[in-house]
Amino acid sequence: MKIAVIGANGQLGSDVVSEFTRNGDEVLSLTREHVDIRSLESVRRLLDAAKPAVIVNTAAMHHVENCEREPLEAYSTNSIGARNLALAAREVKAVLVHVSTDYVFDGAKMQPYLEGDLAVPLNVYGNTKLAGEFFIRATTQKYFIVRTSALFGTHPCRAKGGRNFVELMLKLSGERNEVRVVNDEFVSPTFTGDLARQIMLLSRSEQFGLYHATAEGSCSWYEFAQAIFEVTKTRVNLQIASSNEFPAKVPRPKYSVLENQELKKKGLNSFRTWQAGLQSYLHSAGHLKYANSAMAL
Ligand SMILES: NC(=O)c1ccc[n+]([C@@H]2O[C@H](COP(=O)([O-])OP(=O)(O)OC[C@H]3O[C@@H](n4cnc5c(N)ncnc54)[C@H](OP(=O)(O)O)[C@@H]3O)[C@@H](O)[C@H]2O)c1
């Protein structure tokens, strides 16, 4: 199949390209140089010529503070961009796989969110992504909206200056006597390699719709840091930061754990635990030798 991957040089997009390529598909790796999703004309020109069977959109403006500062730009990329892709996908009869976020929820539930739960975003980023979801659902029938959470992958996250949480923790442990991390914000850290595989598998099905797609299990950022140091056998004084120590400039959900209910119902869930994803990441990123993997999964 011909697969168009948008945001192909991003953290997730790079792994999506690898996954479909490994699968034997013909992959078009598309970056901003090839298409600007804010422009319907640009999207149409590209997709009319390429006529892919599947479009995977990983492109987004997702730096939360930048979205708050530049809401028009954020809506233009995350909402209008999604609409442009849905329109063009419908015109060329392609399936659209679109990546969305756990930040569509406010966190008040304090239990894993299901696809059917009411989404009430706390910030501009979440609102723009939710609007993007609505545009897609209102425009085309052949879509997969895939909400995910707390990504980490071996390719740099372009919107966040390149360093993911795992790398940040390892860097800080070498620079400081003490590393302090919050213990009151809960996520399902998801390895981009695992999400890319789930996207590939899902795109093979005809079970269109809205999906939660995160690693199994959940943890606080403190617990995530604990696991990183444990698996890499890093000696560090890790402490719980008090909740007012790193005041958030923009409101964020304190709890954004997603349950992959729809994937499970349809027998499509391919996710492992976040700990297993972390282990794979640490191997791929060269932080572990295979013989050294000691963590109980
Ligand atoms: N990272 C997370 O923790 C996280 C959590 C939940 C959901 N998500 C979602 O997951 C997806 C992938 O995130 P990621 O971490 O892989 O992001 P990333 O590394 O920042 O990659 C995003 C890509 O989108 C491209 N892009 C941005 N605006 C564009 C436009 N107008 N036209 C074409 N391309 C554009 C960027 O290109 P340039 O760099 O050249 O601008 C970049 O290659 C996003 O939809 C995000 O909302 C991420």
Side-chain angles (χ1 to χ4, degrees):
M1 287 213 289
K2 195 191 257 191
I3 317 289
V5 180
I6 300 177
N9 55 352
Q11 177 177 225
L12 173 62
S14 303
D15 280 351
V16 171
V17 168
S18 304
E19 186 62 44
F20 279 100
T21 305
R22 209 172 12 249
N23 197 48
D25 292 301
E26 180 189 348
V27 180
L28 306 174
S29 296
L30 305 168
T31 68
R32 221 187 246 277
E33 273 179 42
H34 307 98
V35 64
D36 181 347
I37 63 168
R38 296 170 300 178
S39 153
L40 181 57
E41 198 199 336
S42 166
V43 169
R44 270 197 177 128
R45 196 179 325 116
L46 178 94
L47 296 176
D48 276 353
K51 299 222 171 1
V54 177
I55 302 157
V56 183
N57 178 38
T58 68
M61 177 170 169
H62 65 103
H63 187 288
V64 173
E65 281 94 27
N66 288 350
C67 289
E68 212 69 19
R69 245 191 318 270
E70 297 174 58
L72 289 182
E73 191 54 34
Y75 275 105
S76 166
T77 306
N78 297 339
S79 317
I80 303 299
R83 175 178 181 268
N84 292 341
L85 288 165
L87 278 169
R90 191 180 69 192
E91 286 161 12
V92 299
K93 299 187 172 39
V95 170
L96 176 62
V97 184
H98 174 79
V99 181
S100 190
T101 175
D102 52 341
Y103 273 32
V104 297
F105 294 112
D106 63 7
K109 187 178 176 193
M110 293 305 283
Q111 280 179 43
Y113 281 96
L114 309 178
E115 288 85 347
D117 285 331
L118 181 66
V120 184
L122 292 178
N123 54 40
V124 169
Y125 169 60
N127 273 296
T128 62
K129 293 293 279 190
L130 186 59
E133 291 185 8
F134 282 127
F135 272 128
I136 292 170
R137 295 165 78 165
T139 306
T140 180
Q141 292 183 338
K142 289 177 19 171
Y143 70 84
F144 297 99
I145 293 169
V146 173
R147 288 180 184 152
T148 194
S149 161
L151 295 180
F152 59 98
T154 50
H155 299 274
C157 176
R158 291 174 65 90
K160 295 180 185 165
R163 191 170 273 124
N164 65 40
F165 183 79
V166 185
E167 296 303 324
L168 176 65
M169 288 299 108
L170 293 174
K171 177 175 177 281
L172 292 181
S173 71
E175 293 173 356
R176 299 183 182 179
N177 297 330
E178 184 183 271
V179 175
R180 301 179 68 79
V181 182
V182 291
N183 197 28
D184 61 352
E185 230 177 84
F186 296 85
V187 290
S188 298
T190 301
F191 176 41
T192 50
D194 290 350
L195 177 57
R197 177 155 180 76
Q198 182 68 71
I199 286 174
M200 189 277 289
L201 292 172
L202 196 55
S203 74
R204 267 24 198 183
S205 81
E206 298 238 309
Q207 312 258 20
F208 302 120
L210 170 66
Y211 290 90
H212 288 177
T214 59
E216 290 297 313
S218 62
C219 58
S220 70
W221 290 107
Y222 173 82
E223 290 164 334
F224 190 27
Q226 238 178 354
I228 294 163
F229 295 137
E230 188 186 324
V231 183
T232 56
K233 297 186 166 53
T234 304
R235 289 164 66 96
V236 60
N237 179 11
L238 175 66
Q239 295 292 329
I240 295 175
S242 61
S243 37
N244 55 3
E245 209 168 313
F246 303 113
K249 294 183 202 129
V250 177
R252 293 161 191 257
K254 288 274 184 202
Y255 183 98
S256 60
V257 177
L258 306 181
E259 168 64 18
N260 301 345
Q261 189 185 49
E262 288 302 316
L263 286 174
K264 287 178 187 168
K265 257 198 218 163
K266 292 168 185 159
L268 292 166
N269 188 42
S270 70
F271 280 101
R272 310 176 283 174
T273 60
W274 64 264
Q275 292 96 327
L278 172 62
Q279 191 110 358
S280 289
Y281 169 82
L282 290 168
H283 283 303
S284 319
H287 294 299
L288 285 185
K289 298 276 176 278
Y290 274 87
N292 187 26
S293 39
M295 191 177 184
L297 304 175

